[in-house]
Each structure stands twice: as C-alpha cells, then as structure tokens.
Amino acid sequence: MRLCTVFFLAFLILSLSGQSQKKYTVVIHGGAGIMSKERINEAARSEYKAKLNEALEVGNKMLAEGATATDVVVKVINIMEDSPLFNAGKGAVFTHEGVNELDASIMEGKTLNAGAVAGVRDIKNPINAARAVMEHSEHVMLSGPGASQFAKEQGLEIVPNTYFYTESRYQSLQQLLKKERERTGKDNTGTVGCVVLDSYGNLCAGTSTGGMTNKRYGRIGDSPVIGAGTYANNNTCAVSCTGHGEYYIRLGFARDISAMMEYKNLDLQTACREEINKLTNLGGTGGVIGVDKQGNIAMEFNTSGMFRGYLKSSGEKEIAIFEDE
C-alpha cells in the first residue's frame, strides 16, 4: 500500500511539474486607430475576430506542442500577413507612387538577437525575411533591393508587387491623391504584431507592416526599428507596437517600456500605460501589446480601438476591437 502511495505521489509531482513547464502566453495585435461600431459593421467585426482567433489558436497549438517563441511569432504573423484585412503583407497600403513597400522586425529575449527588413516590395512574408536576417546574417537590418536579394538567397518566397494589391487600399490612396479626403489615423495604422512567452521561459516579439498610406521618399516607420516598434528581453518583456511610427521612433517606445521595468521596477502594464501617456503628450496615436517573463500581458492604446487578443496556457483568452470591450 505504501509503495502504491509513493508511486502515486511521484506521478502527481511529475504531472504538476510538466504542467508548470507548459506555462505560456501569446498576445497579438492587428492595428490601432480611430474605429467605431458604425464604420465597422457586425459582419466585418466577425471577420476580423475570426482571423485573430485563428492566429491565436495556431499559436496556442504550437506552444502546447513545445514550439519556441520565435517559431510561434513568425507563424502567427504569417497568418495576418496573408490576410487582406490587415496592413501587412497581402493587405499592405500603397505608397505615393502606387506600390507596396513593407517592413518587419523580430527580436529574441534570451539572446537579444534581432533582425529586420525595410522598404521591400517582393517578399511575400517580410517577417520571415526579418528572421532570416537575424539568424543567417551578421546584420540587424537590411533594406530595399539588398534585402530582397538576401531573401532570394535564403530561399524565401518572392512575389510580384501586384500580389499585395487590394482594391480598398488602392482606393484609399486615390482619395488622398485627389484630395477627396484628409489624412486620418487610419492611414497610419493597421500594423500586425505578436509577442510570446514560451514554455521554456523565453520571450520573442515581432512586427510587420505596410506602413503609411501615401508615404513618400522611401519612408520607414517604427516597425523595423529595434527598440522603437519591437523589443524583447527575457529579463523584462516582449513588446510590439502599432501606430504613427514617427512618434514611436522619437520615443524609443518599445525599449523605453523595458527600461522602465528594469530601472524603475514598474510592472508591465504600468510601464505600457506610462509610455502611452508619453505618446499622447507628444501628439501621437497608437497602441502596444506586451508580455513579461511571468506571462502577464498588456494591451494598451490611446485610440478608440485596437484589434487585439491574447491566449494563455491556463485557457484564459480574450479577443477585442473597441475600447469598451
């Protein structure tokens, strides 16, 4: 009887230990901006939430099976890059010249390794190219034709620029060019991002975007800038941003959140809120998602909405769009 009890206790301890090792969290965003339930009807809201849910569930399945944070960040962002709903990959906005130029970055919290691409026109999934830069080059950021050449040499999928075309994005550009409307916050947002704490205790953050409608002169925003739009450090947090990139660059937004946690001992949510306050005071708009080394999450923004969601190994889950959800 005692022997059976010992075996049972040993089994219970091993089971509980296995469960604790499986602790993980995935958080995503699909852009922040001026949103209203009148402008985004119920059918559209359902479509957005379904895609966010698909991304979260894929990430959840991978993490439950022991995938690394980096693998999950890339795969989850791929799902959003391949959807015309978001301003990344397939749904990217148009430049002043009527083409699509994309940016992306990724960073690992364990090693502080990072990779980014900027101003690329023919890489189907820019986040994959950012990862390739991180893992297979001596550099952190590659841009334009050079980034495309590197991506080709790495065997990544190359597509014609017309692949990224969507009619709604094209019409948004035409309206701005014809001055049929003024620029709005919607023209600066729609970026996608993912932050992950995996079951090994490692953090990773990634961000991908088409940038700003009607951008000119090879403009680059915060998304491919490590420390501005993306940052990860196992000692603090993983962060991905979305919004008017010029302001995020000026603030060193993503790194500043980590620094406040490191030097001021702030918790993740407080640090994110303080940084959003800095953004607001500077005149910028947007949002941020984050996860810390304990799996705590933050989804903060100063606009009326942000496409967002998270899922934890405990089963806790949320998908939302508007501020009041």
Side-chain angles (χ1 to χ4, degrees):
M1 190 70 176
R2 289 180 180 175
L3 188 60
C4 291
T5 303
V6 169
F7 277 123
F8 174 77
L9 289 173
F11 175 78
L12 185 61
I13 290 169
L14 286 171
S15 297
L16 291 173
S17 174
Q19 288 175 6
S20 65
Q21 291 174 354
K22 282 289 185 181
K23 181 179 179 180
Y24 57 79
T25 302
V26 54
V27 193
I28 60 175
H29 71 73
I34 306 303
M35 304 175 188
S36 70
K37 294 178 182 178
E38 290 72 34
R39 295 180 64 179
I40 304 178
N41 62 37
E42 188 173 345
R45 294 198 296 270
S46 296
E47 190 175 7
Y48 276 108
K49 287 187 174 182
K51 187 57 65 173
L52 293 172
N53 184 66
E54 177 188 345
L56 285 175
E57 288 297 339
V58 167
N60 180 55
K61 183 175 186 296
M62 291 178 68
L63 288 164
E65 293 173 351
T68 66
T70 303
D71 284 343
V72 174
V73 165
V74 171
K75 183 60 179 178
V76 167
I77 289 180
N78 283 166
I79 291 170
M80 294 186 283
E81 284 179 333
D82 292 345
S83 169
L85 294 174
F86 305 104
N87 176 19
K90 177 61 179 173
V93 299
F94 285 81
T95 68
H96 182 78
E97 293 75 23
V99 297
N100 309 98
E101 292 182 346
L102 304 97
D103 313 321
S105 65
I106 190 168
M107 185 171 186
E108 294 181 330
K110 181 179 181 180
T111 60
L112 302 188
N113 284 342
V117 294
V120 299
R121 298 184 176 186
D122 57 359
I123 302 172
K124 181 176 181 285
N125 294 107
I127 193 66
N128 297 51
R131 181 181 188 174
V133 172
M134 177 176 69
E135 295 181 341
H136 303 297
S137 83
E138 59 183 328
H139 309 297
V140 171
M141 183 188 294
L142 301 179
S143 66
S148 293
Q149 179 183 343
F150 175 78
K152 291 174 186 175
E153 292 174 0
Q154 294 299 311
L156 300 182
E157 187 170 357
I158 303 298
V159 295
N161 194 251
T162 52
Y163 162 81
F164 303 107
Y165 179 96
T166 56
E167 184 63 21
S168 62
R169 301 295 193 189
Y170 184 72
Q171 289 306 320
S172 290
L173 171 66
Q174 299 310 307
Q175 290 167 6
L176 284 178
L177 292 176
K178 295 175 184 177
K179 301 189 183 301
E180 292 178 358
R181 66 175 177 85
E182 295 296 318
R183 176 178 294 280
T184 68
K186 188 177 180 182
D187 296 306
N188 306 328
T189 58
T191 298
V192 306
C194 177
V195 295
V196 169
L197 170 69
D198 66 23
S199 57
Y200 311 104
N202 293 318
L203 295 169
C204 183
T207 313
S208 183
T209 189
M212 179 188 293
T213 304
N214 199 31
K215 62 185 178 182
R216 304 183 71 178
Y217 312 118
R219 178 263 186 189
I220 303 297
D222 66 302
S223 295
V225 180
I226 300 302
T230 303
Y231 193 77
N233 185 325
N234 272 12
N235 293 322
T236 53
C237 63
V239 168
S240 174
C241 305
T242 172
H244 197 151
E246 280 70 11
Y247 294 91
Y248 283 77
I249 294 172
R250 293 169 191 167
L251 288 167
F253 193 104
R255 166 60 182 155
D256 202 29
I257 291 171
S258 174
M260 285 192 285
M261 294 178 67
E262 184 175 357
Y263 303 128
K264 294 178 69 176
N265 293 316
L266 297 185
D267 63 82
L268 173 65
Q269 192 165 56
T270 301
C272 286
R273 286 177 178 172
E274 283 209 14
E275 197 67 20
I276 287 290
N277 287 338
K278 294 179 185 180
L279 177 71
T280 303
N281 292 336
L282 201 61
T285 57
V288 59
I289 59 170
V291 61
D292 68 16
K293 59 184 180 180
Q294 282 86 35
N296 300 308
I297 69 107
M299 302 187 296
E300 299 293 326
F301 49 98
N302 66 357
T303 58
S304 56
M306 179 169 75
F307 298 105
R308 62 198 187 275
Y310 73 90
L311 199 160
K312 297 186 176 185
S313 50
S314 64
E316 184 181 341
K317 181 180 181 181
E318 179 183 320
I319 297 173
I321 299 175
F322 302 105
E323 185 180 13
D324 58 359
E325 290 184 291

Short mmCIF file of all heavy atoms in Angstrom, two decimals, residues 167-227:
data_model
loop_
_atom_site.label_atom_id
_atom_site.label_comp_id
_atom_site.label_asym_id
_atom_site.label_seq_id
_atom_site.Cartn_x
_atom_site.Cartn_y
_atom_site.Cartn_z
N GLU A 167 -8.19 46.27 -53.50
CA GLU A 167 -8.92 47.41 -54.05
C GLU A 167 -9.17 48.49 -53.00
O GLU A 167 -9.04 49.69 -53.28
CB GLU A 167 -10.25 46.94 -54.64
CG GLU A 167 -11.07 48.03 -55.32
CD GLU A 167 -10.40 48.64 -56.53
OE1 GLU A 167 -9.49 47.99 -57.11
OE2 GLU A 167 -10.76 49.78 -56.91
N SER A 168 -9.51 48.09 -51.79
CA SER A 168 -9.82 49.09 -50.76
C SER A 168 -8.60 49.93 -50.42
O SER A 168 -8.71 51.16 -50.25
CB SER A 168 -10.35 48.40 -49.50
OG SER A 168 -9.37 47.53 -48.95
N ARG A 169 -7.42 49.32 -50.34
CA ARG A 169 -6.20 50.07 -50.06
C ARG A 169 -5.86 51.00 -51.22
O ARG A 169 -5.41 52.13 -51.02
CB ARG A 169 -5.03 49.12 -49.80
CG ARG A 169 -5.22 48.17 -48.64
CD ARG A 169 -5.30 48.87 -47.31
NE ARG A 169 -5.17 47.91 -46.19
CZ ARG A 169 -5.37 48.22 -44.93
NH1 ARG A 169 -5.70 49.46 -44.59
NH2 ARG A 169 -5.23 47.30 -43.98
N TYR A 170 -6.09 50.53 -52.44
CA TYR A 170 -5.79 51.35 -53.61
C TYR A 170 -6.70 52.57 -53.66
O TYR A 170 -6.26 53.68 -53.97
CB TYR A 170 -5.93 50.51 -54.89
CG TYR A 170 -5.54 51.27 -56.14
CD1 TYR A 170 -4.21 51.56 -56.42
CD2 TYR A 170 -6.52 51.69 -57.05
CE1 TYR A 170 -3.85 52.24 -57.56
CE2 TYR A 170 -6.17 52.38 -58.20
CZ TYR A 170 -4.83 52.66 -58.44
OH TYR A 170 -4.48 53.36 -59.57
N GLN A 171 -7.97 52.37 -53.35
CA GLN A 171 -8.91 53.48 -53.36
C GLN A 171 -8.59 54.50 -52.26
O GLN A 171 -8.79 55.71 -52.46
CB GLN A 171 -10.35 52.97 -53.22
CG GLN A 171 -10.87 52.23 -54.45
CD GLN A 171 -10.75 53.06 -55.73
OE1 GLN A 171 -10.99 54.27 -55.74
NE2 GLN A 171 -10.36 52.40 -56.81
N SER A 172 -8.09 54.04 -51.14
CA SER A 172 -7.67 54.96 -50.08
C SER A 172 -6.56 55.87 -50.57
O SER A 172 -6.56 57.08 -50.29
CB SER A 172 -7.19 54.17 -48.86
OG SER A 172 -8.26 53.52 -48.22
N LEU A 173 -5.62 55.31 -51.32
CA LEU A 173 -4.56 56.12 -51.89
C LEU A 173 -5.12 57.13 -52.88
O LEU A 173 -4.76 58.32 -52.85
CB LEU A 173 -3.53 55.24 -52.59
CG LEU A 173 -2.47 56.00 -53.41
CD1 LEU A 173 -1.58 56.84 -52.49
CD2 LEU A 173 -1.63 55.03 -54.25
N GLN A 174 -6.02 56.69 -53.78
CA GLN A 174 -6.57 57.58 -54.79
C GLN A 174 -7.31 58.75 -54.16
O GLN A 174 -7.23 59.90 -54.64
CB GLN A 174 -7.51 56.80 -55.72
CG GLN A 174 -6.84 55.67 -56.51
CD GLN A 174 -5.58 56.13 -57.22
OE1 GLN A 174 -5.58 57.12 -57.96
NE2 GLN A 174 -4.47 55.43 -56.96
N GLN A 175 -8.03 58.50 -53.09
CA GLN A 175 -8.77 59.57 -52.41
C GLN A 175 -7.82 60.61 -51.84
O GLN A 175 -8.08 61.82 -51.90
CB GLN A 175 -9.64 58.98 -51.31
CG GLN A 175 -10.82 58.17 -51.83
CD GLN A 175 -11.48 57.35 -50.74
OE1 GLN A 175 -11.13 57.45 -49.56
NE2 GLN A 175 -12.44 56.53 -51.12
N LEU A 176 -6.70 60.15 -51.29
CA LEU A 176 -5.71 61.09 -50.76
C LEU A 176 -5.04 61.87 -51.88
O LEU A 176 -4.83 63.09 -51.77
CB LEU A 176 -4.66 60.34 -49.94
CG LEU A 176 -5.08 59.88 -48.55
CD1 LEU A 176 -3.93 59.11 -47.89
CD2 LEU A 176 -5.46 61.06 -47.67
N LEU A 177 -4.71 61.18 -52.97
CA LEU A 177 -4.06 61.84 -54.10
C LEU A 177 -4.95 62.91 -54.72
O LEU A 177 -4.49 63.97 -55.15
CB LEU A 177 -3.65 60.81 -55.16
CG LEU A 177 -2.53 59.84 -54.77
CD1 LEU A 177 -2.30 58.83 -55.89
CD2 LEU A 177 -1.24 60.59 -54.46
N LYS A 178 -6.25 62.62 -54.78
CA LYS A 178 -7.22 63.56 -55.37
C LYS A 178 -7.72 64.58 -54.35
O LYS A 178 -8.56 65.42 -54.66
CB LYS A 178 -8.41 62.78 -55.93
CG LYS A 178 -8.07 61.86 -57.10
CD LYS A 178 -9.28 61.03 -57.50
CE LYS A 178 -8.92 60.05 -58.61
NZ LYS A 178 -10.09 59.17 -58.97
N LYS A 179 -7.19 64.43 -53.12
CA LYS A 179 -7.59 65.31 -52.01
C LYS A 179 -9.09 65.27 -51.76
O LYS A 179 -9.73 66.28 -51.43
CB LYS A 179 -7.12 66.75 -52.27
CG LYS A 179 -5.61 66.87 -52.43
CD LYS A 179 -5.17 68.31 -52.46
CE LYS A 179 -3.66 68.40 -52.70
NZ LYS A 179 -2.86 67.71 -51.69
N GLU A 180 -9.68 64.08 -51.98
CA GLU A 180 -11.10 63.90 -51.72
C GLU A 180 -11.36 63.76 -50.21
O GLU A 180 -12.50 63.86 -49.76
CB GLU A 180 -11.62 62.65 -52.43
CG GLU A 180 -11.63 62.80 -53.95
CD GLU A 180 -12.09 61.54 -54.66
OE1 GLU A 180 -12.38 60.53 -53.96
OE2 GLU A 180 -12.16 61.55 -55.90
N ARG A 181 -10.31 63.53 -49.45
CA ARG A 181 -10.44 63.46 -48.00
C ARG A 181 -9.12 63.83 -47.36
O ARG A 181 -8.07 63.85 -48.01
CB ARG A 181 -10.86 62.05 -47.55
CG ARG A 181 -9.82 60.96 -47.80
CD ARG A 181 -10.27 59.63 -47.23
NE ARG A 181 -9.35 58.56 -47.51
CZ ARG A 181 -8.27 58.26 -46.77
NH1 ARG A 181 -7.98 59.00 -45.73
NH2 ARG A 181 -7.50 57.24 -47.09
N GLU A 182 -9.14 64.14 -46.09
CA GLU A 182 -7.94 64.45 -45.33
C GLU A 182 -7.34 63.15 -44.79
O GLU A 182 -8.05 62.16 -44.61
CB GLU A 182 -8.26 65.40 -44.17
CG GLU A 182 -8.75 66.77 -44.60
CD GLU A 182 -7.71 67.54 -45.38
OE1 GLU A 182 -6.52 67.51 -44.97
OE2 GLU A 182 -8.06 68.17 -46.39
N ARG A 183 -6.05 63.18 -44.51
CA ARG A 183 -5.41 62.03 -43.89
C ARG A 183 -6.02 61.80 -42.52
O ARG A 183 -6.31 62.74 -41.78
CB ARG A 183 -3.90 62.27 -43.74
CG ARG A 183 -3.18 61.14 -43.01
CD ARG A 183 -1.69 61.40 -42.93
NE ARG A 183 -1.10 61.36 -44.24
CZ ARG A 183 -0.78 60.25 -44.90
NH1 ARG A 183 -1.04 59.06 -44.34
NH2 ARG A 183 -0.23 60.29 -46.08
N THR A 184 -6.25 60.54 -42.18
CA THR A 184 -6.79 60.20 -40.86
C THR A 184 -5.85 59.23 -40.17
O THR A 184 -4.89 58.72 -40.77
CB THR A 184 -8.18 59.53 -40.99
OG1 THR A 184 -8.03 58.23 -41.61
CG2 THR A 184 -9.12 60.38 -41.83
N GLY A 185 -6.15 58.94 -38.92
CA GLY A 185 -5.35 57.98 -38.17
C GLY A 185 -5.33 56.62 -38.82
O GLY A 185 -4.38 55.85 -38.67
N LYS A 186 -6.37 56.30 -39.57
CA LYS A 186 -6.46 55.00 -40.23
C LYS A 186 -5.35 54.82 -41.26
O LYS A 186 -4.92 53.70 -41.55
CB LYS A 186 -7.83 54.85 -40.89
CG LYS A 186 -8.10 53.47 -41.46
CD LYS A 186 -9.51 53.37 -42.03
CE LYS A 186 -9.78 51.98 -42.59
NZ LYS A 186 -11.13 51.89 -43.19
N ASP A 187 -4.86 55.93 -41.82
CA ASP A 187 -3.80 55.86 -42.82
C ASP A 187 -2.44 55.54 -42.22
O ASP A 187 -1.50 55.23 -42.94
CB ASP A 187 -3.72 57.18 -43.59
CG ASP A 187 -4.99 57.47 -44.38
OD1 ASP A 187 -5.39 56.60 -45.17
OD2 ASP A 187 -5.58 58.55 -44.19
N ASN A 188 -2.33 55.64 -40.91
CA ASN A 188 -1.05 55.41 -40.24
C ASN A 188 -1.01 54.09 -39.49
O ASN A 188 -0.01 53.79 -38.84
CB ASN A 188 -0.78 56.54 -39.24
CG ASN A 188 -0.87 57.90 -39.88
OD1 ASN A 188 -0.55 58.07 -41.04
ND2 ASN A 188 -1.30 58.89 -39.12
N THR A 189 -2.10 53.33 -39.52
CA THR A 189 -2.20 52.16 -38.66
C THR A 189 -2.54 50.90 -39.44
O THR A 189 -2.72 50.93 -40.65
CB THR A 189 -3.26 52.38 -37.58
OG1 THR A 189 -4.51 52.66 -38.23
CG2 THR A 189 -2.90 53.57 -36.69
N GLY A 190 -2.66 49.79 -38.72
CA GLY A 190 -3.00 48.51 -39.34
C GLY A 190 -1.89 47.50 -39.25
O GLY A 190 -2.02 46.36 -39.70
N THR A 191 -0.78 47.93 -38.68
CA THR A 191 0.36 47.05 -38.44
C THR A 191 -0.08 45.81 -37.65
O THR A 191 -1.01 45.88 -36.87
CB THR A 191 1.41 47.83 -37.65
OG1 THR A 191 1.84 48.93 -38.43
CG2 THR A 191 2.60 46.97 -37.25
N VAL A 192 0.62 44.68 -37.86
CA VAL A 192 0.34 43.48 -37.08
C VAL A 192 1.55 43.13 -36.23
O VAL A 192 2.68 43.46 -36.57
CB VAL A 192 -0.05 42.27 -37.96
CG1 VAL A 192 -1.20 42.63 -38.88
CG2 VAL A 192 1.15 41.76 -38.77
N GLY A 193 1.28 42.47 -35.10
CA GLY A 193 2.37 42.09 -34.23
C GLY A 193 2.01 40.93 -33.34
O GLY A 193 0.84 40.62 -33.14
N CYS A 194 3.04 40.31 -32.78
CA CYS A 194 2.84 39.17 -31.89
C CYS A 194 3.98 39.14 -30.87
O CYS A 194 5.14 39.36 -31.22
CB CYS A 194 2.84 37.87 -32.69
SG CYS A 194 2.67 36.36 -31.70
N VAL A 195 3.62 38.88 -29.62
CA VAL A 195 4.61 38.68 -28.56
C VAL A 195 4.29 37.38 -27.86
O VAL A 195 3.12 37.04 -27.65
CB VAL A 195 4.65 39.85 -27.57
CG1 VAL A 195 5.11 41.12 -28.28
CG2 VAL A 195 3.31 40.09 -26.91
N VAL A 196 5.33 36.64 -27.47
CA VAL A 196 5.14 35.29 -26.94
C VAL A 196 6.09 35.03 -25.77
O VAL A 196 7.27 35.40 -25.81
CB VAL A 196 5.38 34.23 -28.04
CG1 VAL A 196 5.44 32.83 -27.45
CG2 VAL A 196 4.29 34.31 -29.11
N LEU A 197 5.56 34.39 -24.75
CA LEU A 197 6.35 33.71 -23.72
C LEU A 197 6.15 32.23 -23.94
O LEU A 197 5.02 31.74 -23.87
CB LEU A 197 5.88 34.10 -22.32
CG LEU A 197 6.48 33.27 -21.17
CD1 LEU A 197 7.97 33.55 -20.99
CD2 LEU A 197 5.71 33.50 -19.87
N ASP A 198 7.22 31.50 -24.23
CA ASP A 198 7.06 30.07 -24.49
C ASP A 198 7.27 29.24 -23.23
O ASP A 198 7.56 29.77 -22.15
CB ASP A 198 7.97 29.60 -25.64
CG ASP A 198 9.47 29.69 -25.33
OD1 ASP A 198 9.84 29.68 -24.14
OD2 ASP A 198 10.27 29.76 -26.28
N SER A 199 7.08 27.95 -23.35
CA SER A 199 7.14 27.05 -22.19
C SER A 199 8.55 26.87 -21.65
O SER A 199 8.74 26.27 -20.60
CB SER A 199 6.55 25.68 -22.55
OG SER A 199 7.23 25.11 -23.65
N TYR A 200 9.54 27.40 -22.36
CA TYR A 200 10.93 27.34 -21.90
C TYR A 200 11.33 28.63 -21.16
O TYR A 200 12.47 28.78 -20.74
CB TYR A 200 11.87 27.12 -23.09
CG TYR A 200 11.42 25.99 -23.98
CD1 TYR A 200 10.81 26.26 -25.21
CD2 TYR A 200 11.55 24.66 -23.58
CE1 TYR A 200 10.36 25.22 -26.02
CE2 TYR A 200 11.11 23.62 -24.39
CZ TYR A 200 10.51 23.91 -25.61
OH TYR A 200 10.05 22.89 -26.41
N GLY A 201 10.38 29.56 -21.04
CA GLY A 201 10.64 30.81 -20.35
C GLY A 201 11.26 31.89 -21.21
O GLY A 201 11.75 32.90 -20.70
N ASN A 202 11.25 31.70 -22.53
CA ASN A 202 11.84 32.67 -23.44
C ASN A 202 10.79 33.58 -24.07
O ASN A 202 9.68 33.14 -24.37
CB ASN A 202 12.63 31.96 -24.54
CG ASN A 202 13.85 31.25 -23.99
OD1 ASN A 202 14.56 31.78 -23.13
ND2 ASN A 202 14.10 30.04 -24.47
N LEU A 203 11.18 34.83 -24.29
CA LEU A 203 10.31 35.83 -24.89
C LEU A 203 10.75 36.12 -26.32
O LEU A 203 11.93 36.03 -26.66
CB LEU A 203 10.35 37.12 -24.09
CG LEU A 203 9.81 37.07 -22.66
CD1 LEU A 203 10.17 38.36 -21.91
CD2 LEU A 203 8.30 36.87 -22.67
N CYS A 204 9.79 36.49 -27.16
CA CYS A 204 10.08 36.92 -28.52
C CYS A 204 9.00 37.91 -28.95
O CYS A 204 7.83 37.78 -28.57
CB CYS A 204 10.12 35.74 -29.48
SG CYS A 204 10.56 36.19 -31.19
N ALA A 205 9.39 38.91 -29.75
CA ALA A 205 8.45 39.89 -30.29
C ALA A 205 8.68 40.06 -31.78
O ALA A 205 9.82 40.01 -32.25
CB ALA A 205 8.62 41.23 -29.58
N GLY A 206 7.59 40.26 -32.53
CA GLY A 206 7.70 40.51 -33.96
C GLY A 206 6.64 41.48 -34.41
O GLY A 206 5.55 41.56 -33.83
N THR A 207 6.95 42.24 -35.47
CA THR A 207 6.05 43.25 -36.00
C THR A 207 6.19 43.29 -37.52
O THR A 207 7.29 43.15 -38.04
CB THR A 207 6.38 44.64 -35.42
OG1 THR A 207 6.53 44.55 -34.01
CG2 THR A 207 5.28 45.64 -35.74
N SER A 208 5.07 43.48 -38.23
CA SER A 208 5.09 43.55 -39.69
C SER A 208 4.08 44.58 -40.16
O SER A 208 2.97 44.67 -39.62
CB SER A 208 4.77 42.17 -40.29
OG SER A 208 4.84 42.19 -41.70
N THR A 209 4.43 45.35 -41.20
CA THR A 209 3.55 46.44 -41.63
C THR A 209 3.75 46.81 -43.09
O THR A 209 4.79 46.53 -43.68
CB THR A 209 3.79 47.70 -40.76
OG1 THR A 209 2.79 48.66 -41.04
CG2 THR A 209 5.15 48.30 -41.05
N GLY A 210 2.73 47.47 -43.62
CA GLY A 210 2.82 48.10 -44.93
C GLY A 210 3.09 49.58 -44.81
O GLY A 210 3.23 50.29 -45.80
N GLY A 211 3.15 50.07 -43.58
CA GLY A 211 3.49 51.47 -43.35
C GLY A 211 2.31 52.41 -43.44
O GLY A 211 1.20 52.10 -43.00
N MET A 212 2.52 53.56 -44.04
CA MET A 212 1.57 54.65 -44.08
C MET A 212 1.07 54.89 -45.50
O MET A 212 1.86 54.95 -46.44
CB MET A 212 2.25 55.92 -43.55
CG MET A 212 1.40 57.17 -43.55
SD MET A 212 2.38 58.64 -43.13
CE MET A 212 2.77 58.30 -41.42
N THR A 213 -0.25 55.00 -45.67
CA THR A 213 -0.81 55.31 -46.99
C THR A 213 -0.23 56.61 -47.52
O THR A 213 -0.13 57.60 -46.79
CB THR A 213 -2.34 55.44 -46.89
OG1 THR A 213 -2.90 54.25 -46.35
CG2 THR A 213 -2.95 55.69 -48.27
N ASN A 214 0.18 56.59 -48.79
CA ASN A 214 0.69 57.78 -49.48
C ASN A 214 2.07 58.20 -48.97
O ASN A 214 2.49 59.34 -49.16
CB ASN A 214 -0.29 58.96 -49.34
CG ASN A 214 -0.05 60.04 -50.40
OD1 ASN A 214 0.39 59.76 -51.52
ND2 ASN A 214 -0.32 61.28 -50.04
N LYS A 215 2.80 57.29 -48.34
CA LYS A 215 4.16 57.62 -47.88
C LYS A 215 5.07 57.87 -49.08
O LYS A 215 4.86 57.32 -50.17
CB LYS A 215 4.71 56.52 -46.99
CG LYS A 215 4.86 55.15 -47.67
CD LYS A 215 5.31 54.09 -46.67
CE LYS A 215 5.42 52.73 -47.33
NZ LYS A 215 5.81 51.66 -46.40
N ARG A 216 6.09 58.71 -48.88
CA ARG A 216 6.97 59.10 -49.99
C ARG A 216 8.44 58.97 -49.58
O ARG A 216 8.77 58.82 -48.41
CB ARG A 216 6.69 60.55 -50.39
CG ARG A 216 5.23 60.81 -50.77
CD ARG A 216 5.02 62.24 -51.22
NE ARG A 216 5.62 62.48 -52.53
CZ ARG A 216 5.55 63.65 -53.19
NH1 ARG A 216 4.91 64.67 -52.64
NH2 ARG A 216 6.12 63.80 -54.36
N TYR A 217 9.28 59.02 -50.60
CA TYR A 217 10.73 59.13 -50.43
C TYR A 217 11.35 57.95 -49.67
O TYR A 217 12.35 58.12 -48.98
CB TYR A 217 11.09 60.44 -49.71
CG TYR A 217 10.41 61.66 -50.29
CD1 TYR A 217 9.53 62.41 -49.52
CD2 TYR A 217 10.63 62.05 -51.62
CE1 TYR A 217 8.89 63.53 -50.03
CE2 TYR A 217 10.00 63.17 -52.15
CZ TYR A 217 9.13 63.91 -51.36
OH TYR A 217 8.49 65.01 -51.87
N GLY A 218 10.74 56.79 -49.76
CA GLY A 218 11.29 55.63 -49.06
C GLY A 218 11.10 55.69 -47.56
O GLY A 218 11.90 55.15 -46.80
N ARG A 219 10.03 56.35 -47.11
CA ARG A 219 9.76 56.50 -45.69
C ARG A 219 9.76 55.15 -44.98
O ARG A 219 9.19 54.18 -45.43
CB ARG A 219 8.40 57.19 -45.50
CG ARG A 219 7.97 57.36 -44.03
CD ARG A 219 7.02 56.26 -43.59
NE ARG A 219 6.48 56.52 -42.23
CZ ARG A 219 5.77 55.65 -41.54
NH1 ARG A 219 5.50 54.45 -42.04
NH2 ARG A 219 5.33 55.95 -40.32
N ILE A 220 10.40 55.10 -43.81
CA ILE A 220 10.41 53.92 -42.96
C ILE A 220 9.86 54.32 -41.59
O ILE A 220 10.25 55.35 -41.03
CB ILE A 220 11.84 53.37 -42.77
CG1 ILE A 220 12.47 53.04 -44.13
CG2 ILE A 220 11.83 52.15 -41.87
CD1 ILE A 220 11.77 51.95 -44.91
N GLY A 221 8.94 53.53 -41.07
CA GLY A 221 8.37 53.81 -39.75
C GLY A 221 9.08 53.08 -38.64
O GLY A 221 10.25 52.69 -38.75
N ASP A 222 8.36 52.85 -37.56
CA ASP A 222 8.98 52.25 -36.37
C ASP A 222 9.05 50.73 -36.42
O ASP A 222 9.87 50.13 -35.71
CB ASP A 222 8.20 52.65 -35.12
CG ASP A 222 6.78 52.08 -35.12
OD1 ASP A 222 6.04 52.36 -36.08
OD2 ASP A 222 6.42 51.35 -34.18
N SER A 223 8.20 50.10 -37.23
CA SER A 223 8.08 48.64 -37.17
C SER A 223 9.38 47.87 -37.36
O SER A 223 9.60 46.87 -36.68
CB SER A 223 7.03 48.16 -38.18
OG SER A 223 5.75 48.63 -37.82
N PRO A 224 10.27 48.29 -38.28
CA PRO A 224 11.52 47.54 -38.41
C PRO A 224 12.64 48.06 -37.52
O PRO A 224 13.76 47.53 -37.57
CB PRO A 224 11.88 47.76 -39.88
CG PRO A 224 11.39 49.15 -40.16
CD PRO A 224 10.13 49.31 -39.34
N VAL A 225 12.34 49.06 -36.71
CA VAL A 225 13.37 49.67 -35.87
C VAL A 225 13.36 49.00 -34.49
O VAL A 225 12.42 49.18 -33.70
CB VAL A 225 13.17 51.19 -35.73
CG1 VAL A 225 14.26 51.79 -34.84
CG2 VAL A 225 13.17 51.85 -37.10
N ILE A 226 14.42 48.25 -34.19
CA ILE A 226 14.52 47.58 -32.90
C ILE A 226 14.61 48.64 -31.80
O ILE A 226 15.43 49.56 -31.88
CB ILE A 226 15.74 46.65 -32.86
CG1 ILE A 226 15.64 45.57 -33.96
CG2 ILE A 226 15.89 46.01 -31.48
CD1 ILE A 226 14.41 44.71 -33.88
N GLY A 227 13.75 48.50 -30.80
CA GLY A 227 13.72 49.47 -29.73
C GLY A 227 12.64 50.52 -29.91
O GLY A 227 12.27 51.20 -28.96
#
